[in-house]
Every structure is written in C-alpha cells, then in structure tokens.
Amino acid sequence: MVRAIQKTLYLILACFIGLFIASSFFIRAKYNYFVYGDTPVLEKQQLGLFILGIVVVLALSVILYKICLKLNQYSWKIVIPAILLCSFAIQIVIIFLFPRLPTDDSQTVLSLALDMLYRNDYSSFDTTGYLHMFPFNFSIVVYLKTLLQLFLDNYLVIKIFNILFTLLTSLMIYLLYKELKGKSEDHDYGILVFAATYIPSLFMSNLIYNDVIATAFLTSALYFAVKFIKRKSLKDIVFAAIFLAVGNYFRSIGVIFLIAVVVSLLFNMRAIGVKKALSALFITALLFNVPGWAQNAVLQATNVVDEPINENSAPVYMWLNMGINLETFGFWDNWQSYTIYQQDANYNKEESTQLFKEEISHKLSEASLSDVVKMYYKKIVWTWTEGTYQMERYGLGNDGSSSNGGRMGFVMDRYSYTNAATDLFKGDSSYRSGLLWLLYVLNFLMYVFILVRLIGGIRAKRFEETSLILVVLGFIGFYLLWEIKSRYIYPVYPLLIVLSYMGFNDVYDYMLKRYFPR
C-alpha cells in the first residue's frame, strides 16, 4: 500500500515536471523589473536561442562535473571547507559589487526593527499598522533588531549573516544528498560545488528579508528528518523538530515541510518501530508552534498587544483572492485586495474574510471555465519555469532608472553606490538579459534531470526521495491557489538541486557505461 502511494506521488510530480518541460519549448516565462515593472510575463519561446543555451549549459555542466570528480582523491576535511570558503568569498564580492539597498517589505521590516531598537516603538501593532496586518513578519523584525543590537548598525552585517545561512543551506544540500544516496566510495563533491555556486542563492544574500534564513532552517529540518528515518536516533528528530519550528517561525510555509515529515514518518513506521515513530510525531508536533506561542505570550505580557496578534490580521482569503486574477494570473493585484481589507473592512479580519469570499465567488462566476483553466496553467508555468526566483530585482537590483516604472509608477530599487559592475548590468543590458537566460536554461535542465530521476525511481521501485517529492508537490499545490511570485518557491531550490543532481549523475553513469565502457 505504501509503495503504491509513493509511486503515485512520483507519477504526479513527473506529470508536473513534464508539463514544465513541454511548456518551455513554446512559452518563455520572464520577470524583468526594468522592462515590465513588477509583473509576470509569458512570451513566445525563442526556440533557436533556447536550444543553443541548452547545449552550452549542458556542455559546461559536464566539464564542471568531470572537474569535481577529480576532487574525490582529497579528504572532505580539506575540500568541504575550501568550497564553502570560496562561496563565501564570491558572495562577499557580489554584495560589494551590487550594493542593493532594501526596498518594499525589506525596507519596512528594517525600519520597524530600527524603531523598536532605538525608540522602543511598537505602534506598528496598532490598527492600520504594518504588523497589525502582517504579524507573521514580526519574526524577521525581531531577528534584524537582534543583529543590529549585537553588531554594527549596517546593511553589511545583515548581508554577511545571509551569506552564512546560504552556506549552511549549501552544506545541508550536500549532507541531504549523501544521506539519501547511502554509502558510497565517492565523496560527491560535485553537488556541494553546484549548491555553493548556484547563482540565485549567491545573489539573494543581498535580500534583507526572511527567505534566506527560512530556507536554511527548513532544509536542515528535512535533512535531520531523513537522517532519523534511516538511522532511528531520536536526537535527529529533535534537531529536525527544532529547525522546522524555527524555519516555520520565519516563513509559515514550514507547514508544508511538517506535512512531508509527518507523512514520511508514517510511511516508514514499520521500519522505524511504532513506539519510536509515535515519539517522533509527538516531538515534531509539540515543538512546531512553540516559537509562535512564546512570541504571543511575551508580547501580551509586556503589554505590546492586548490580544493574540493574529486576531485581526489580514486573513488567508486575501492571498487566495490575489491568487485568482485573469490579467496577472495570481500575481500582485495592484492594491485591490489590500483595499478590501484596509478600507472596506476597516482592518477587521472577520468582516474582510466574508468580503474576500464574496469577491472570490464573484470572480469565479464571471469567468468561463476556459478562462479559469488558462489562468491556472499560466500561473503554474510562470511560477515554476521563470527560473531566477526574481533574483534580477531582489538580488541583482538596479540603479533606479526604469523604462516601465514598476508597481508604484517609479522604481524603488537603488544601490548605495555605483561602479563598473552595476554599469555593466544596468537597465536591460545584454549582461543582465544574458544572465537571466542562463538561469532560465539551467532551471529547465534541472527539471529534465529531475524527470529522469523520477522515472528511474518508478522503474526501479526506489522511493527514498519521497519526503522531497512531498515538499515539492506541497509547494506546487499551495501556490496554485495562493498569490504567486517565483521568489516564493525559493525554499525548494535545495530539493530541486538534490533531485536534479541525482538525475544528472544517473544519466552520466549510464552514458559512461554504455558508450565509454573502458
């Protein structure tokens, strides 16, 4: 029964991956803030350029893989620190070459952290305040406040900590891969090199927000959960539960990882042992909401708030309403949903919930079935094939000029200073568009190798990666309904790297044995 369910999960993900691959030959998903503003774009694929990009990236991947194989002769005590140190150096260079200033929510949470630190100002929890509407962002405010209190009041400090969390994610990608693969004579340094030099993650250290830190904790949680299932040591599930709770505290999509961990424990209950599996489930469930409960208790005890902070926050229906939009297929709806909550419902959660339900019902009744299907198709294809996690805006940044104007009629992106690198990537330069093409093609090839791995797993009846499959499927299902940004799926990039590297390794070994047996 369990095997049949696991096979079904593999088949479902294979169908989605197949959809992404097939669609990419006809449609190019793009996000370029300078050209289009803050909006998703789907345009006709430039097939010749696309195929050329595939050939170039594939050739470079094979060369890099063969170079990494030569590292197998060296001890992990030398190679792993060296790779992580190189990644650290690259990211330091990036944050100095592209000194992006915080904008949008990034600027807001930083400003709130400074207000709380220097003026003990918690008025943002008052009605009409930012944290009244979005209390889930208090976690990143507390984190920033703590960093600024302990260290220099400087963007550089926050970005360096981002780099450290990115390095933790890279290490966990490597350890997760090794745990899934099992005993091997090879050190498999290639996946660590891939993770440590993955371009979106290198640039996203520039983003002062919760994405990088949440990704590090959630990836760590999944690694320890997989380790527990294989080795059955309760200390591993304790670590998994702690990392999961903290990761969810920073980004509430941790519940998707929680579901994946719980289901994986249930799938492996017989192998783990019923008593130990139930203990693991209890520990995971017990610790999951502790950070949120503790936060509420402290805020109410110190009279910052007089009711739970989620009492009148923006309801989940606001983001579900944003997620139904024929024009932007679930992207930002230009303040329409905010207006319903802020003005029509006067910041009242219960009242706005009813209004959002009515709005959702109205949208679905007005649209034809064909329109709704097209919207969801565009939504899922753009989200998963854009391929850069909107790094162009949130990591690379721009100099403040714009041909379109973005969301608010002007570009809020700025550098603290400009240099030769910012000039090369200015606006829609060939360097910027070339980098976006590279990441788009790389993302496509990752899906190709993931599909290879999934099909190989189904044929060999090998389902060790089920926990990863569950998380990816969870994100696909969730963001099919929710408001979308390709940045929102950033926490699954480590899992995509693991699965795609496994698929690449399978193809490489097959080709080597078939055509180069000597």
Side-chain angles (χ1 to χ4, degrees):
M1 180 65 177
V2 170
R3 289 278 181 175
I5 296 173
Q6 291 174 318
K7 182 178 179 181
T8 302
L9 293 172
Y10 270 61
L11 283 169
I12 293 171
L13 183 57
C15 289
F16 278 115
I17 297 297
L19 176 67
F20 303 154
I21 292 171
S23 298
S24 296
F25 283 98
F26 304 96
I27 301 172
R28 163 81 191 277
K30 294 179 71 175
Y31 181 88
N32 189 321
Y33 190 65
F34 175 83
V35 178
Y36 307 107
D38 194 22
T39 186
V41 173
L42 287 171
E43 62 181 28
K44 186 178 179 180
Q45 184 62 273
Q46 296 174 263
L47 198 56
L49 190 58
F50 180 51
I51 293 174
L52 176 62
I54 291 172
V55 172
V56 171
V57 173
L58 195 55
L60 291 174
S61 299
V62 172
I63 293 170
L64 183 60
Y65 181 78
K66 294 182 74 172
I67 292 173
C68 290
L69 289 177
K70 296 183 183 297
L71 296 175
N72 276 326
Q73 59 186 301
Y74 301 105
S75 168
W76 66 267
K77 296 178 182 179
I78 298 172
V79 177
I80 292 178
I83 292 172
L84 295 178
L85 186 61
C86 288
S87 180
F88 180 83
I90 293 169
Q91 290 177 76
I92 287 289
V93 170
I94 286 174
I95 64 175
F96 276 106
L97 288 181
F98 302 96
R100 186 189 185 278
L101 293 173
T103 59
D104 301 338
D105 288 319
S106 175
Q107 177 59 54
T108 301
V109 295
L110 185 57
S111 297
L112 292 176
L114 292 170
D115 287 342
M116 293 177 188
L117 178 61
Y118 294 116
R119 288 176 285 281
N120 200 33
D121 180 3
Y122 288 81
S123 61
S124 185
F125 281 108
D126 297 341
T127 304
T128 75
Y130 179 83
L131 291 178
H132 175 88
M133 186 172 181
F134 306 120
F136 53 80
N137 269 340
F138 184 54
S139 56
I140 190 64
V141 173
V142 171
Y143 166 74
L144 294 174
K145 175 178 176 287
T146 304
L147 280 189
L148 297 174
Q149 190 171 17
L150 295 175
F151 302 96
L152 294 173
D153 180 357
N154 192 292
Y155 297 139
L156 190 59
V157 170
I158 303 170
K159 292 182 179 182
I160 287 175
F161 271 85
N162 272 353
I163 292 173
L164 296 178
F165 281 113
T166 299
L167 295 180
L168 174 61
T169 302
S170 298
L171 179 60
M172 286 301 161
I173 290 171
Y174 175 72
L175 294 177
L176 179 59
Y177 173 85
K178 293 290 288 181
E179 198 65 43
L180 289 169
K181 187 176 180 182
K183 293 181 180 180
S184 171
E185 294 181 2
D186 293 335
H187 289 295
D188 297 303
Y189 296 130
I191 188 168
L192 181 61
V193 172
F194 185 15
T197 58
Y198 188 59
I199 295 174
S201 67
L202 297 178
F203 276 90
M204 289 297 264
S205 293
N206 248 336
L207 176 61
I208 299 175
Y209 205 46
N210 56 18
D211 300 77
V212 173
I213 183 171
T215 300
F217 281 112
L218 293 172
T219 306
S220 300
L222 196 61
Y223 160 68
F224 280 105
V226 169
K227 188 178 178 184
F228 168 74
I229 290 170
K230 280 184 168 282
R231 307 192 187 190
K232 306 172 185 62
S233 173
L234 280 176
K235 70 176 182 179
D236 290 324
I237 201 64
V238 171
F239 280 123
I242 292 171
F243 281 123
L244 186 57
V246 176
N248 183 69
Y249 179 60
F250 282 99
R251 273 202 66 183
S252 299
I253 44 83
V255 70
I256 298 175
F257 284 79
L258 172 66
I259 293 170
V261 170
V262 168
V263 172
S264 296
L265 289 172
L266 294 174
F267 281 166
N268 293 277
M269 183 172 284
R270 182 178 296 179
I272 297 169
V274 175
K275 185 177 179 180
K276 190 167 284 189
L278 290 176
S279 298
L281 289 169
F282 176 75
I283 292 169
T284 305
L286 179 66
L287 294 180
F288 187 70
N289 285 313
V290 167
W293 292 337
Q295 174 182 278
N296 258 325
V298 170
L299 288 173
Q300 291 185 65
T302 54
N303 296 316
V304 172
V305 297
D306 54 12
E307 62 182 12
I309 59 176
N310 291 316
E311 189 71 24
N312 274 301
S313 62
V316 295
Y317 289 95
M318 185 179 80
W319 288 277
L320 292 174
N321 184 56
M322 284 189 207
I324 301 173
N325 190 314
L326 297 181
E327 294 180 2
T328 61
F329 35 92
F331 202 82
W332 170 256
D333 64 3
N334 198 27
W335 299 100
Q336 293 174 25
S337 293
Y338 280 29
T339 300
I340 292 173
Y341 171 75
Q342 294 173 332
Q343 297 181 17
D344 299 346
N346 195 27
Y347 294 87
N348 183 285
K349 187 172 189 173
E350 186 176 346
E351 187 176 340
S352 65
T353 296
Q354 186 59 39
L355 293 174
F356 283 125
K357 287 180 178 179
E358 293 172 3
E359 181 67 13
I360 291 170
S361 178
H362 174 72
K363 286 180 178 179
L364 293 176
S365 63
E366 287 289 308
S368 67
L369 179 61
S370 175
D371 289 336
V372 172
V373 170
K374 287 178 182 177
M375 181 198 71
Y376 282 118
Y377 169 72
K378 291 178 180 178
K379 186 176 184 179
I380 194 171
V381 168
W382 183 86
T383 303
W384 290 89
T385 66
E386 190 271 332
T388 75
Y389 307 97
Q390 294 171 268
M391 180 214 77
E392 181 267 343
R393 182 180 187 203
Y394 296 106
L396 184 59
N398 218 314
D399 66 345
S401 62
S402 175
S403 65
N404 183 283
R407 179 188 296 177
M408 295 293 292
F410 59 92
V411 173
M412 294 176 282
D413 289 347
R414 293 289 189 280
Y415 294 127
S416 55
Y417 56 84
T418 57
N419 53 47
T422 59
D423 290 341
L424 282 177
F425 286 84
K426 183 177 181 179
D428 191 34
S429 71
S430 56
Y431 290 93
R432 181 179 293 260
S433 59
L435 180 61
L436 298 184
W437 258 112
L438 172 67
L439 297 180
Y440 175 79
V441 172
L442 177 61
N443 188 66
F444 169 83
L445 285 173
M446 287 172 69
Y447 286 142
V448 170
F449 292 118
I450 289 172
L451 185 60
V452 169
R453 183 66 181 182
L454 293 173
I455 294 173
I458 293 169
R459 293 180 65 181
K461 297 181 180 180
R462 180 193 62 234
F463 304 112
E464 287 84 358
E465 301 95 38
T466 300
S467 56
L468 281 66
I469 306 302
L470 283 165
V471 173
V472 178
L473 284 175
F475 269 78
I476 289 174
F478 183 76
Y479 286 109
L480 191 61
L481 301 175
W482 206 253
E483 179 221 1
I484 59 164
K485 280 186 173 71
S486 58
R487 178 175 66 83
Y488 289 167
I489 65 170
Y490 184 78
V492 300
Y493 94 82
L495 314 188
L496 299 182
I497 284 179
V498 171
L499 292 170
S500 63
Y501 190 84
M502 286 179 165
F504 180 87
N505 202 16
D506 291 343
V507 173
Y508 186 87
D509 288 346
Y510 173 79
M511 297 293 287
L512 202 64
K513 291 175 183 176
R514 184 177 178 87
Y515 297 107
F516 305 99
R518 293 185 181 180

